[in-house]
């Protein structure tokens, strides 16, 4: 009953933790690239080609892993191209507030990728354009309102940095002066055409997004289903460890995790550490002495089992492994005991060497998984060295993808994300 209550408490705690989103919400965005002004222009002034430079800087806040808002400021350099007989230059500035939708989360991109998503964004703002040379009676600064709509493909480089590209279309309301600064919009397009969205800009950009916050991931890359499954995997492992710890192999009433001698004979009285009571310190449990012949005690030999041999056998047969979370080189907390087994063995057997073999599951690029498997093995190597094991006694090897299980099973894949040990 106690075990059932404990398991229920762990599951309830895991569910509550999973429901409380643990991800960063703020990011800083920096972008730059080319732009194309489509209209309006005075006849003879041509800008059919995209021109450099345009750039923007902004701050984005995600309310959750699907929707957010951002404030950004941009600059465009609009000038003639080589086909224009007349030269001009216009400096354009804008400030925009926009809503953001993470299309990757909404459309469940996580079913096939964990490094790519697309943000959709749109909003409105205020703009100002100033041509270098205005030759008619107009204000130097042409103020207008604008609406902006765009898409931003994102490529995850790390938990902190994302590479971004962007395509945005900006439509303006109330522009009075052509981009070249030589005419009024009404004189070129007429009064009716000058109303509504009477000018357009198209921006193509590339840049980076820097994620801010103390959590391990950002809202852009957070998926509730994956987070819940990861938490449940962790709980299953913890429950399995509890069940394993409670096993009492020698049936002496002391569970294995407390038992300092897990090979005591059945029926022999033991202390709280699972050690047979031997008050006269002769190596024979007191309860067995009366049943042994005195001649045997004098001439017989005591057979013992070497504990290090047992540990070595468990290690070599793959029972001692370090497991990892998805796409991570940090070992799971519940796996640290496996590292401790190897540290103790290596310290007790100073002539022993070990090969650390890392593995990854089949999800993702094969070359990337090969590198990840090597990084996992190297991480365990670093922990062992920090624990006092000489680096010269350790060999690091990346085993790449372990395809021995059905990759559609998330539970089976968890067992493949590991580092195993070979003694030599």
């Amino acid at each position: 009953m106690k075990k059932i209550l404990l398991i229920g408490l762990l599951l309830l705690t895991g569910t509550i933790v999973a429901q409380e989103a643990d991800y960063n919400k703020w990011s800083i965005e920096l972008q730059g690239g080319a732009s194309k002004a489509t209209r309006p222009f005075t006849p003879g002034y041509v800008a059919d080609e995209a021109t450099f430079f345009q750039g923007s800087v902004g701050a984005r806040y995600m309310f959750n892993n699907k929707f957010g808002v951002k404030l950004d400021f941009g600059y465009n350099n609009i000038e003639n191209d080589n086909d224009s007989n007349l030269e001009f230059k216009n400096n354009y500035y804008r400030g925009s507030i926009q809503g953001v939708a993470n299309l990757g989360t909404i459309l469940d991109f996580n079913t096939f990728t964990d490094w790519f998503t697309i943000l959709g964004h749109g909003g409105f703002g205020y703009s100002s354009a100033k041509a270098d040379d205005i030759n008619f009676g107009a204000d130097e600064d042409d103020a207008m309102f604008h609406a902006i709509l765009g898409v931003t493909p994102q490529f995850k480089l790390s938990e902190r940095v994302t590479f971004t590209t962007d395509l945005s279309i900006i439509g303006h309301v109330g522009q009075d002066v052509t981009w070249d600064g030589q005419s009024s919009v009404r004189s070129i397009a007429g009064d009716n055409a000058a109303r509504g969205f009477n000018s357009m800009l198209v921006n193509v950009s590339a840049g980076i997004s820097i994620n801010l916050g103390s959590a391990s991931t950002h809202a852009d890359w957070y998926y509730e289903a994956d987070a819940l499954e990861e938490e449940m995997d962790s709980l299953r492992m913890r429950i399995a460890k509890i069940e394993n710890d409670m096993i009492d192999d020698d049936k002496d009433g002391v569970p294995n995790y407390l038992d300092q001698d897990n090979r005591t004979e059945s029926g022999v009285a033991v202390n709280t550490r699972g050690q047979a009571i031997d008050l006269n310190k002769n190596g024979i449990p007191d309860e067995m002495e009366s049943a042994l012949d005195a001649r045997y005690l004098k001439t017989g030999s005591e057979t013992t089992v070497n504990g290090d041999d047992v540990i070595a056998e468990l290690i070599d047969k793959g029972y001692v492994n370090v497991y990892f979370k998805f796409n991570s080189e940090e070992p799971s907390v519940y796996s640290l005991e496996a590292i401790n087994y190897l540290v103790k063995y290596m310290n007790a057997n100073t002539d022993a060497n070990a090969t650390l073999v890392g593995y990854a599951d089949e999800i993702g690029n094969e070359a990337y998984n090969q590198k990840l498997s090597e990084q996992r093995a190297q991480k365990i190597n670093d922990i062992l060295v920090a624990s006092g094991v000489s680096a010269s006694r350790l060999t690091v090897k990346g085993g790449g993808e372990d395809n021995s299980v059905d990759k559609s099973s998330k539970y089976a894949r968890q067992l493949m994300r590991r580092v195993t040990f070979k003694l030599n």
Side-chain angles (χ1 to χ4, degrees):
M1 178 60 71
K2 290 182 179 180
K3 184 183 293 187
I4 294 175
L5 291 175
L6 177 60
I7 293 173
L9 179 60
L10 286 173
L11 290 173
L12 178 59
T13 303
T15 302
I16 294 173
V17 170
Q19 290 173 347
E20 296 178 356
D22 184 17
Y23 51 79
N24 298 319
K25 297 183 178 183
W26 283 100
S27 58
I28 300 297
E29 298 180 343
L30 303 171
Q31 293 185 330
S35 66
K36 171 98 170 53
T38 60
R39 56 184 168 86
F41 290 97
T42 302
Y45 292 83
V46 179
D48 290 336
E49 299 176 358
T51 57
F52 293 88
F53 166 78
Q54 65 84 12
S56 66
V57 57
R60 177 163 57 89
Y61 178 81
M62 298 299 292
F63 301 115
N64 49 49
N65 63 336
K66 294 183 176 69
F67 301 104
V69 64
K70 74 173 181 176
L71 176 66
D72 68 330
F73 301 90
Y75 165 80
N76 286 61
N77 173 43
I78 304 169
E79 59 184 11
N80 61 283
D81 58 28
N82 294 330
D83 295 329
S84 179
N85 295 325
L86 301 170
E87 296 182 355
F88 69 89
K89 183 176 180 180
N90 193 312
N91 294 299
Y92 168 89
Y93 302 89
R94 70 170 176 85
S96 310
I97 184 167
Q98 304 180 59
V100 180
N102 188 340
L103 304 180
T105 303
I106 295 171
L107 300 176
D108 293 328
F109 279 20
N110 64 307
T111 59
F112 61 87
T113 180
D114 61 353
W115 56 266
F116 174 73
T117 190
I118 298 176
L119 302 183
H121 60 91
F124 58 89
Y126 177 83
S127 303
S128 176
K130 181 180 179 181
D132 283 358
D133 182 20
I134 299 178
N135 67 358
F136 68 101
D139 294 336
E140 288 188 355
D141 293 321
D142 190 6
M144 66 200 87
F145 292 99
H146 70 261
I148 182 171
L149 186 67
V151 291
T152 306
Q154 295 200 126
F155 304 85
K156 183 179 180 182
L157 302 180
S158 70
E159 295 296 346
R160 293 293 177 188
V161 181
T162 300
F163 174 74
T164 66
T165 59
D166 183 79
L167 173 64
S168 293
I169 299 174
I170 308 172
H172 301 89
V173 176
Q175 182 169 348
D176 295 326
V177 182
T178 57
W179 294 119
D180 50 79
Q182 305 305 306
S183 308
S184 70
V185 174
R186 283 179 172 77
S187 68
I188 298 298
D191 288 342
N192 291 332
R195 297 190 180 95
F197 289 100
N198 56 4
S199 70
M200 300 291 289
L201 273 177
V202 178
N203 288 343
V204 178
S205 311
I208 60 171
S209 176
I210 302 172
N211 301 327
L212 308 177
S214 59
S216 61
T217 191
H218 188 268
D220 293 351
W221 311 105
Y222 181 87
Y223 297 95
E224 287 95 341
D226 287 351
L228 179 58
E229 180 184 342
E230 186 174 303
E231 183 66 25
M232 293 303 294
D233 283 346
S234 175
L235 288 171
R236 292 185 187 98
M237 291 292 184
R238 289 160 61 186
I239 291 170
K241 184 178 184 304
I242 291 173
E243 291 178 337
N244 184 68
D245 287 345
M246 296 304 294
I247 293 174
D248 181 13
D249 288 333
D250 56 3
K251 310 300 182 184
D252 60 0
V254 180
N256 287 352
Y257 82 103
L258 294 176
D259 203 333
Q260 295 184 13
D261 183 1
N262 203 29
R263 300 184 303 275
T264 54
E265 292 80 359
S266 178
V268 172
V270 297
N271 58 24
T272 56
R273 297 185 297 275
Q275 300 167 317
I277 296 176
D278 181 18
L279 297 179
N280 58 12
K281 308 296 182 182
N282 66 350
I284 302 173
D286 293 347
E287 288 189 80
M288 296 182 64
E289 288 196 56
S290 60
L292 296 175
D293 185 89
R295 290 173 299 171
Y296 179 79
L297 290 176
K298 294 178 182 178
T299 61
S301 62
E302 181 181 356
T303 301
T304 62
V305 178
N306 191 329
D308 285 345
D309 291 341
V310 175
I311 295 176
E313 183 178 4
L314 291 174
I315 293 173
D316 271 339
K317 287 186 176 181
Y319 293 114
V320 180
N321 296 297
V322 182
Y323 294 97
F324 297 78
K325 295 181 179 180
F326 179 73
N327 195 30
S328 173
E329 60 184 76
E330 294 296 327
S332 299
V333 174
Y334 58 80
S335 290
L336 297 181
E337 185 61 29
I339 302 176
N340 192 40
Y341 277 126
L342 186 60
V343 170
K344 289 181 177 179
Y345 180 84
M346 297 292 281
N347 288 338
N349 299 270
T350 56
D351 59 340
N353 298 317
T355 299
L356 317 179
V357 187
Y359 293 95
D361 60 31
E362 291 185 85
I363 303 302
N365 178 272
E366 183 176 351
Y368 176 82
N369 287 336
Q370 175 64 37
K371 182 179 179 181
L372 180 59
S373 71
E374 295 169 1
Q375 292 172 334
R376 286 171 172 169
Q378 184 61 48
K379 185 68 174 182
I380 303 307
N381 178 88
D382 295 344
I383 294 175
L384 290 170
V385 171
S387 300
V389 180
S390 173
S392 63
R393 301 171 61 195
L394 303 172
T395 301
V396 174
K397 181 180 178 182
E401 295 179 354
D402 188 331
N403 56 9
S404 61
V405 301
D406 181 1
K407 70 177 183 179
S408 65
S409 170
K410 295 181 179 180
Y411 307 114
R413 292 200 309 268
Q414 168 66 42
L415 299 177
M416 300 302 101
R417 301 192 291 266
R418 71 192 193 283
V419 168
T420 189
F421 310 125
K422 293 294 181 182
L423 297 175
N424 45 47

